[in-house]
Amino acid sequence: MSAHPAVARVSPARITAARFTPAIFHHAQKLLSELLRSEFAADRVVADYFRQHRELGHADRSFVADAVFTVLRRKRSLSARCAGELTSRRLLLAALACLQGMNRRELDAVLNEAESHWLAHAKAVQVSELPAAIRLDLPDWLHALLSEQFAADEIEPLVAGLNQPAPLDLRVNALKSGRDEVLERLRTDGLSAEACRYSPLGIRLAGKPALSQHPLFVDGSIEIQDEGSQLLGFLLQPKRGEMVADFCAGAGGKTLLLGALMRSQGRLYAFDVAEHRLARLKPRLARSGLSNVHPVRIESERDIKIKRLAGKLDRVLVDAPCSGLGTLRRNPYLKWRQTPASVAELSARQADILAAAASLVKTGGRLVYATCSLLEQENEAIVRTFLEQHPEFVLCSAQEILGKQAIAIDCGEQLRLLPHRHGTDAFYAAAMERRVSE
């Protein structure tokens, strides 16, 4: 057995009776209040809170995090139970009682008499009789758009999938280990692990074990990466010795995959406009063993560094900035922050970024445009307009590209991954190739 303390996240149901106290409830209420008014990403707010409250043990943190994320996922239907008094306290109590199954005896330590009376009524609310958008915990505008894009009988399974916590997926670094070897080691260390359904390098873990000190993570043999995100790398399909760019690299999860697929041979540019995001790539890059990655901060998609590489690259991945509405399993707060106006603004930016990235691709090269959005406005519409304006590019079948790599997946010509169909975050991707000159 490894010395690594692989402790899985404890579900609320396992700790409520033994560990639930007014102090833990107070922490959950305080954190929820911060999340509801914060403009920062929820995981960042949670991490900051726990750094400030190191007295909370692992199980307590798990309970608090699960409780507040339940509210973020189900805020609209929970609001309907709050009888007009929409406070973080009432939202939290409604979540614990109505969704996480805590009974009156378990909650008694934090309830006053008036709240006990209200909570009884809250539990009696027939959610099935509420309007669809409220029942599905979506803002009206998002429900309307999804209803236009998906069949009526698919909306509820889709949203149910988005309202579930995401599993923990790993990607094996093929430069350092094989998937079977990693699976054996993880199981030896007491972790429940299985091969992902689609990604040849993917592993899915049960629960949320702490991995930051695990030897396989420390030495770069594994990285945390959703299976859907991994498939984008296989869709780009970079080869040894090629010139490749990850145009919106961020913290570099896909960059590391591309480098490994290239066997650390050739040249891989990691472009991003944010220095702090590229800074997060550096320790991951050091663990990975890759030597072909070149992080480059750019001012914008029109940076002179981009123009100098025009027509020289074999493959370019554009994982464009987007609404993130396909990642609601991980980032449920996004559905309450995005608006039709913010999506329209993103769409204009996506079109500009795709056009700039396309200029890098040489004749015969491949361009992949991807988002983690559900919305056609950020996906098919962007690609459709791009192809109309750039007839030198032609669409390729994503299903065929993946099939030739022994990845059997029913995704169509343009890749569409959905949680209720594929068990991944919702991703969209289109693969295009620049025509060979006649």
Side-chain angles (χ1 to χ4, degrees):
M1 292 287 289
S2 165
H4 169 62
V7 182
R9 173 182 285 184
V10 182
S11 69
R14 286 172 55 193
I15 68 170
T16 50
R19 299 191 60 87
F20 183 74
T21 65
I24 293 177
F25 180 85
H26 172 75
H27 280 292
Q29 183 181 339
K30 185 177 178 183
L31 176 56
L32 178 59
S33 296
E34 291 186 16
L35 285 167
L36 293 176
R37 65 173 181 264
S38 176
E39 296 181 358
F40 296 109
D43 56 352
R44 174 179 169 182
V45 176
V46 172
D48 288 345
Y49 186 88
F50 288 155
R51 273 194 294 270
Q52 295 165 15
H53 296 278
R54 298 185 183 277
E55 72 275 14
L56 290 171
H58 183 77
D60 295 338
R61 291 178 182 219
S62 295
F63 176 84
V64 169
D66 285 334
V68 299
F69 269 85
T70 295
V71 173
L72 294 178
R73 294 180 205 284
R74 308 296 301 278
K75 185 162 72 78
R76 197 157 190 206
S77 61
L78 288 171
S79 298
R81 298 179 185 269
C82 286
E85 190 176 330
L86 194 59
T87 64
S88 57
R89 180 177 176 83
R90 284 215 168 183
L91 287 168
L92 184 59
L93 286 170
L96 295 176
C98 303
L99 300 178
Q100 294 192 347
M102 291 185 67
N103 58 41
R104 166 66 187 273
R105 178 181 57 80
E106 291 169 326
L107 290 170
D108 206 35
V110 299
L111 286 175
N112 59 43
E113 187 173 342
E115 287 172 336
S116 296
H117 181 71
W118 155 72
L119 201 54
H121 286 282
K123 294 178 75 170
V125 170
Q126 297 298 309
V127 174
S128 61
E129 297 176 2
L130 296 173
I134 299 175
R135 185 178 73 250
L136 297 176
D137 292 286
L138 295 173
D140 290 337
W141 69 270
L142 181 55
H143 179 260
L145 286 178
L146 294 181
S147 297
E148 291 174 4
Q149 291 182 212
F150 295 92
D153 62 355
E154 192 168 22
I155 293 292
E156 293 209 18
L158 167 62
V159 176
L162 291 169
N163 279 335
Q164 293 297 314
L168 181 59
D169 290 347
L170 307 177
R171 176 183 56 79
V172 175
N173 180 356
L175 291 180
K176 296 203 169 189
S177 193
R179 182 162 68 172
D180 290 344
E181 180 185 350
V182 171
L183 278 168
E184 182 179 356
R185 173 64 187 274
L186 292 173
R187 290 165 178 165
T188 298
D189 289 352
L191 296 172
S192 178
E194 60 181 18
C196 282
R197 183 177 173 188
Y198 304 112
S199 170
L201 298 175
I203 290 176
R204 179 157 294 175
L205 300 182
K208 304 288 183 182
L211 290 174
S212 61
Q213 300 303 315
H214 194 284
L216 291 175
F217 183 82
V218 173
D219 74 6
S221 294
I222 57 173
E223 277 282 345
I224 297 172
Q225 186 177 21
D226 180 75
E227 182 181 17
S229 177
Q230 295 179 40
L231 291 179
L232 300 183
F234 289 98
L235 190 59
L236 190 69
Q237 201 180 3
K239 308 290 189 184
R240 301 184 190 200
E242 290 185 334
M243 289 183 67
V244 179
D246 186 352
F247 201 77
C248 306
K254 284 176 280 293
T255 304
L256 298 177
L257 169 58
L258 298 178
L261 292 176
M262 296 168 71
R263 307 302 297 181
S264 198
Q265 298 176 29
R267 192 169 185 88
L268 174 56
Y269 293 99
F271 293 119
D272 204 274
V273 296
E275 187 66 47
H276 70 273
R277 287 198 288 263
L278 290 175
R280 295 205 302 271
L281 168 60
K282 290 180 181 178
R284 304 174 75 186
L285 190 55
R287 290 196 303 268
S288 72
L290 293 171
S291 59
N292 68 330
V293 177
H294 301 271
V296 180
R297 193 188 78 80
I298 55 176
E299 294 296 332
S300 72
E301 66 272 12
R302 295 178 295 277
D303 195 296
I304 187 63
K305 298 167 190 169
I306 301 297
K307 294 179 180 179
R308 287 172 180 161
L309 291 170
K312 296 181 179 179
L313 272 61
D314 297 280
R315 299 172 197 263
V316 177
L317 172 64
V318 183
D319 184 12
C322 69
S323 64
L325 293 171
T327 67
L328 295 180
R329 301 187 307 169
R330 304 170 196 282
N331 307 304
Y333 63 93
L334 288 175
K335 60 185 170 183
W336 313 120
R337 292 192 188 175
Q338 298 292 4
T339 65
S342 68
V343 172
E345 184 178 336
L346 283 164
S347 297
R349 188 178 174 202
Q350 288 155 356
D352 290 343
I353 290 172
L354 178 56
S359 70
L360 299 176
V361 182
K362 70 182 185 182
T363 301
R366 181 176 297 173
L367 172 68
V368 170
Y369 173 79
T371 76
C372 50
S373 172
L374 290 158
L375 303 182
E376 182 178 346
Q377 182 179 350
E378 299 183 83
N379 297 331
E380 290 91 345
I382 298 294
V383 171
R384 186 165 53 246
T385 300
F386 171 80
L387 291 173
E388 290 171 358
Q389 297 174 350
H390 298 82
E392 70 274 22
F393 282 89
V394 294
L395 198 63
C396 306
S397 169
Q399 189 159 319
E400 286 185 14
I401 291 171
L402 295 175
K404 289 176 181 178
Q405 299 172 77
I407 300 173
I409 184 170
D410 182 13
C411 66
E413 185 175 45
Q414 299 175 58
L415 181 73
R416 263 286 190 185
L417 300 176
L418 297 168
H420 66 298
R421 292 185 195 170
H422 305 102
T424 69
D425 285 346
F427 280 97
Y428 165 84
M432 296 162 277
E433 291 191 1
R434 193 166 199 147
R435 285 177 172 155
V436 177
S437 300
E438 297 181 359

